[in-house]
Amino acid sequence: MTSPIDNSGTPVSLDSAFSPVSRQQWVDMAIAGLGSDNNDALQALRRTTLEGIPLEVLYDSMDTVTPSLGERSSSALDNRLCVRTSDADLASNNILQGLQGGIHSIELHAQSPDYIATALSGVKLDLAPVSLRANHDYEQCTQALLALADTQDLENGECIFTLNVDPVSNALAKGTGDAQMFNELARMASFTSSTAAQLTSSKCVLVDTALHHNAGASTVEELHAALATATLYLEALLDNGMSPRPASEQIVFQIALDADILLGVAKIRALRALWQVVLAHFDTDNTLPHHTHIVAESSQRFLSKRQPWNNHLRNLCAGTAAMLGGADTLMVHPHDVLHRADACADTTLGERMARNMPIILERECGLGHVQDPMAGSYAIENLTRQLMQHAWQSLSSTDTGEGWVSELLSGRWQTRLTNTHKQRITLMQQEQRIAVGVNRFVQADELFNATSDQPEGLSTYAFSSSSALKAVRESQIFETAALSEISS
């Protein structure tokens, strides 16, 4: 944008055209807006995150230069549909309806290699990118996906797949030991090296921090998990002979966002900036990409059985944070997914609203039209920087890949997340943290007594290991108490 020019042709500095507003003037205006004549009302709005980061009411400066976030994708937002059902025919029907309704790509949780051909029947793989979640069977399922592409006479370069190889999540699911975990890392690296040469438009490696989020992790703990896991994977790829640039291009981050828009935006920005710092240590020739590929999904731990339309509003906040933060892909889970334990439940409305939300945010609200819309915001810049500092401090206890693996497989990390979840619940019980329809503004007659707390379509994390990450829901304890009250 060019500067205004006065009559003499000289550019005008807008900073000098207006008198600067002092902090005290801002404070006075804020207090006036609250209808109060003292500073106590303003200070009462001050909050602190679980990590101890203060959330001020008023920010009027930035302490340091804004960290580099890397480049943001110039392409349109990828609106993704998550398909988990074990019924391949139902999966196929959901996928085709989604594509007709505006979905761009599919996250398919494959039950087996045979499941893939049925679930993706009628899908043109060169038009609808597939994100495959096959857990430990990723090699066989990839071959099944390639066989389906072959029936459509597609060249490998025309296929846009994300194969989501994630040994850390698989290790937690299977309860493996350290030695087997490092064997799986070598297997991942070998698969990625050969597949990247074959599928030039695809990505192979997933860093799934949504897994930690839905197990109760704080924002700093999510960043800790993301960086520790991504660095572990990058080093495994380099050890297998890949050069830094193609290795880093294979890594995709998947995060979950809750109803806190400001913290969600700052989390994405902090992840992008922190990953640039990590890559700089491997970038001896300044050739690494400056874009961090991020898939954002709506949180599943904030879902409530009570007044499900509140879930829709929470999803809206999560989607807004994803757009403003610069996520490449957005995956919104239906607001009524917990009600699907009821065989009579109509799922079409929730599915339609979930897939329409990213379209409205991008096309009607225009949230994706600005490269970095939150840049320069004192609140967001300070919060981003503080998250980065706390994440680095947290990572100091995990200085090697072996240390991170040991922390995961020993159960120390799981205990840490459990304690964070308990802390969050305590704050909700004390009403220091409010969730509408959960711990305030609750109508008892709107409690839905589902027969299963984890129906299909919601992550179950049915891990066999005693040290596994367990999915949690923040509202569950309040719903249990309400049911007890109703039954008594």
Side-chain angles (χ1 to χ4, degrees):
M1 179 181 296
T2 58
S3 300
I5 299 176
D6 62 17
N7 294 332
S8 65
T10 304
V12 177
S13 172
L14 293 180
D15 289 337
S16 61
F18 301 94
S19 300
V21 179
S22 69
R23 177 180 179 84
Q24 187 57 48
Q25 288 176 297
W26 281 114
V27 170
D28 292 342
M29 287 187 286
I31 292 176
L34 292 172
S36 173
D37 57 358
N38 59 65
N39 197 44
D40 293 340
L42 194 63
Q43 290 302 313
L45 297 176
R46 189 177 186 270
R47 292 290 183 268
T48 303
T49 69
L50 290 176
E51 302 87 353
I53 299 175
L55 300 178
E56 304 291 349
V57 181
L58 179 64
Y59 292 87
D60 62 349
S61 66
M62 291 183 292
D63 296 331
T64 59
V65 178
T66 303
S68 172
L69 305 181
E71 297 175 358
R72 182 171 176 171
S73 175
S74 59
S75 58
L77 178 75
D78 173 24
N79 184 8
R80 181 166 293 176
L81 173 68
C82 177
V83 180
R84 292 181 185 274
T85 176
S86 58
D87 185 331
D89 291 319
L90 179 59
S92 176
N93 181 64
N94 291 345
I95 290 171
L96 294 178
Q97 284 186 352
L99 291 173
Q100 292 173 355
I103 287 296
H104 300 149
S105 66
I106 306 134
E107 178 178 283
L108 181 63
H109 291 248
Q111 310 297 314
S112 67
D114 295 335
Y115 174 94
I116 292 175
T118 302
L120 294 176
S121 176
V123 177
K124 295 184 178 298
L125 299 180
D126 56 336
L127 299 178
V130 174
S131 177
L132 181 67
R133 301 295 292 267
N135 298 327
H136 191 74
D137 298 326
Y138 57 84
E139 292 165 322
Q140 298 90 328
C141 289
T142 298
Q143 290 304 314
L145 193 58
L146 290 174
L148 181 60
D150 190 55
T151 64
Q152 299 182 16
D153 296 326
L154 297 178
E155 300 292 335
N156 288 336
E158 297 178 275
C159 301
I160 305 176
F161 299 144
T162 305
L163 301 176
N164 296 312
V165 184
D166 187 3
V168 165
S169 296
N170 293 343
L172 290 172
K174 296 176 67 66
T176 59
D178 289 21
Q180 188 173 350
M181 173 64 189
F182 285 104
N183 289 337
E184 287 301 312
L185 286 170
R187 176 186 170 210
M188 171 208 73
S190 177
F191 170 83
T192 301
S193 180
S194 59
T195 305
Q198 181 181 6
L199 299 174
T200 55
S201 300
S202 299
K203 297 181 183 295
C204 293
V205 180
L206 174 69
V207 177
D208 186 7
T209 60
L211 179 78
H212 303 268
H213 171 95
N214 290 318
S218 68
T219 302
V220 167
E221 287 165 344
E222 291 176 60
L223 293 172
H224 178 133
L227 294 172
T229 304
T231 304
L232 180 70
Y233 290 172
L234 182 59
E235 290 176 339
L237 296 176
L238 297 179
D239 290 343
N240 191 66
M242 293 187 72
S243 56
R245 182 179 180 86
S248 61
E249 288 176 336
Q250 290 298 313
I251 297 176
V252 174
F253 292 87
Q254 185 151 335
I255 66 172
L257 298 170
D258 59 19
D260 191 325
I261 296 178
L262 295 184
L263 201 57
V265 171
K267 176 166 67 176
I268 296 177
R269 298 176 88 251
L271 174 59
R272 291 165 60 194
L274 286 167
W275 187 233
Q276 296 303 314
V277 174
V278 172
L279 291 180
H281 289 283
F282 298 91
D283 190 8
T284 56
D285 299 322
N286 194 30
T287 60
L288 290 183
H290 297 290
H291 174 64
T292 304
H293 193 96
I294 297 177
V295 177
E297 62 174 292
S298 57
S299 171
Q300 296 182 32
R301 78 178 185 209
F302 72 6
L303 292 174
S304 172
K305 295 176 183 177
R306 311 181 78 161
Q307 304 171 2
W309 283 111
N310 288 325
N311 292 334
H312 174 69
L313 296 178
R314 296 181 186 108
N315 282 346
L316 178 60
C317 292
T320 300
M323 295 289 294
L324 294 177
D328 300 274
T329 297
L330 176 56
M331 187 165 61
V332 179
H333 299 291
H335 68 278
D336 59 354
V337 67
L338 286 177
H339 290 229
R340 299 182 183 200
D342 181 356
C344 299
D346 181 9
T347 64
T348 56
L349 177 62
E351 291 170 351
R352 179 169 61 84
M353 298 204 62
R355 68 173 176 256
N356 282 347
M357 184 183 295
I359 298 173
I360 294 172
L361 290 174
E362 181 180 32
R363 299 182 185 178
E364 296 189 21
C365 301
L367 297 188
H369 295 171
V370 179
Q371 181 72 11
D372 188 359
M374 305 304 277
S377 163
Y378 291 154
I380 294 298
E381 299 290 7
N382 277 286
L383 188 53
T384 299
R385 205 163 39 250
Q386 289 183 80
L387 285 177
M388 293 178 64
Q389 292 168 352
H390 279 71
W392 277 125
Q393 184 177 1
S394 177
L395 282 163
S396 65
S397 63
T398 309
D399 54 354
T400 64
E402 290 84 354
W404 174 232
V405 171
S406 175
E407 189 172 1
L408 285 172
L409 300 184
S410 68
R412 296 194 303 273
W413 180 255
Q414 291 81 343
T415 300
R416 178 174 170 178
L417 300 196
T418 298
N419 292 335
T420 300
H421 175 62
K422 290 179 179 178
Q423 182 182 358
R424 188 181 289 111
I425 295 302
T426 299
L427 293 175
M428 293 180 69
Q429 290 172 326
Q430 297 172 349
E431 293 197 353
Q432 296 182 41
R433 185 172 182 269
I434 303 301
V436 175
V438 176
N439 63 341
R440 190 179 289 185
F441 310 114
V442 180
Q443 297 182 26
D445 59 345
E446 293 193 21
L447 178 62
F448 180 83
N449 185 14
T451 57
S452 169
D453 193 54
Q454 300 283 5
E456 283 194 326
L458 190 65
S459 296
T460 58
Y461 309 153
F463 295 166
S464 59
S465 169
S466 60
S467 62
L469 287 175
K470 304 293 185 182
V472 297
R473 282 197 306 110
E474 297 166 7
S475 64
Q476 187 170 2
I477 188 172
F478 300 93
E479 295 162 356
T480 302
L483 281 173
S484 299
E485 183 179 342
I486 292 172
S487 60
S488 63

